């Protein structure tokens, strides 16, 4: 008894639409980065970049997410692999259910069911130094901001005004506040 020949054919893969315009690199990066993150087990790169917000700075200093592995054909009930430094693994194992809850809250659904902890070296990015303090505002700028009641908004506007004033002064001297040379004709 022989099998009948296959009568169905696979549909051709759809190629992405081409656009006849110049696209900024920032528009293309999520596609490229997304493919690399999916290959190594991450559905969203935001889990890596926002790890400190998800679990808190205390736990982010000693752990880094490595990957999320899902069961075949599903996008739920995955296993989150963490790299934990030194003797912090028992502590991370103890708070594992809370980490799973926070990651699931971040995703908005039951994405992670288990936590796998591995010992390893956790390298943290060094925080950049804050910019040098700016000069105080002029009296005219201070008067214009006096009517603002919200202290946080007022502080942000004061910093913005001081930064604009500092750039203006630096431009008059032949450069900018960021150390870039003044553009123009060479004389």
């Amino acid at each position: 008894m022989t099998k009948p020949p296959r009568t169905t054919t696979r549909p051709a893969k759809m190629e992405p639409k081409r656009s006849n315009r110049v696209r900024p690199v920032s528009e293309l990066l999520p596609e490229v980065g997304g493919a690399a993150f999916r290959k190594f087990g991450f559905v969203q790169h935001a889990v890596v970049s926002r790890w400190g917000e998800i679990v808190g700075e205390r736990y982010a200093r000693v752990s880094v997410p490595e990957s999320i592995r899902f069961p075949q054909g599903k996008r739920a009930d995955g296993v989150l692999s963490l790299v934990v430094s030194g003797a912090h693994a028992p502590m991370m194992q103890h708070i594992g259910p809370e980490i799973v809850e926070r990651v699931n809250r971040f995703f908005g659904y039951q994405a992670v069911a288990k936590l796998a902890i591995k010992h390893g070296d956790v390298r943290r990015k060094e925080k950049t130094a804050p910019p040098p303090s700016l000069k105080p505002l002029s009296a005219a700028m201070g008067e214009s901001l006096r009517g603002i009641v919200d202290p946080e908004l007022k502080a942000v506007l004061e910093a913005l005004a001081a930064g604009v004033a500092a750039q203006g002064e630096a431009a008059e001297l032949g450069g900018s506040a960021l150390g870039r040379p003044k553009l123009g004709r060479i004389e």
Side-chain angles (χ1 to χ4, degrees):
M1 188 182 231
T2 61
K3 289 184 182 180
R6 181 183 268 177
T7 59
T8 60
T9 60
R10 292 185 179 152
K13 289 186 179 180
M14 298 296 293
E15 289 192 27
K17 286 179 108 178
R18 293 184 179 204
S19 63
N20 293 330
R21 65 179 178 89
V22 176
R23 294 170 58 186
V25 173
S26 62
E27 190 177 304
L28 300 172
L29 280 179
E31 297 170 12
V32 174
F37 276 113
R38 276 192 305 277
K39 180 179 178 184
F40 292 105
F42 273 102
V43 180
Q44 292 184 348
H45 68 302
V47 173
V48 178
S49 61
R50 297 177 63 188
W51 184 245
E53 296 173 32
I54 294 172
V55 297
E57 278 302 313
R58 178 180 177 193
Y59 302 125
R61 282 193 303 262
V62 297
S63 66
V64 173
E66 187 178 55
S67 67
I68 300 176
R69 301 286 179 200
F70 294 108
Q72 188 70 27
K74 293 185 178 181
R75 286 288 179 209
D77 298 328
V79 178
L80 172 64
S81 298
L82 292 180
V83 175
V84 180
S85 65
H88 296 282
M91 175 187 65
M92 296 300 279
Q93 187 175 7
H94 180 70
I95 63 162
E98 184 178 345
I99 292 173
V100 169
E101 178 187 335
R102 288 181 182 189
V103 171
N104 288 336
R105 192 177 324 139
F106 175 77
F107 276 111
Y109 68 97
Q110 187 70 25
V112 175
K114 293 181 183 177
L115 193 64
I117 298 174
K118 299 177 185 178
H119 286 277
D121 188 25
V122 177
R123 293 190 180 115
R124 302 302 302 166
K125 290 186 242 174
E126 293 181 20
K127 294 186 178 181
T128 58
S133 60
L134 303 171
K135 294 180 181 178
L137 294 176
S138 66
M141 286 283 192
E143 289 295 323
S144 65
L145 295 175
R146 187 173 303 236
I148 298 174
V149 180
D150 185 13
E152 187 177 345
L153 176 62
K154 187 174 183 178
V156 169
L157 290 174
E158 285 175 351
L160 177 65
V164 169
Q167 282 184 345
E169 290 174 7
E172 290 173 5
L173 296 174
S176 71
L178 300 175
R180 286 184 247 137
K182 181 179 178 182
L183 300 177
R185 284 184 55 194
I186 299 175
E187 296 178 21

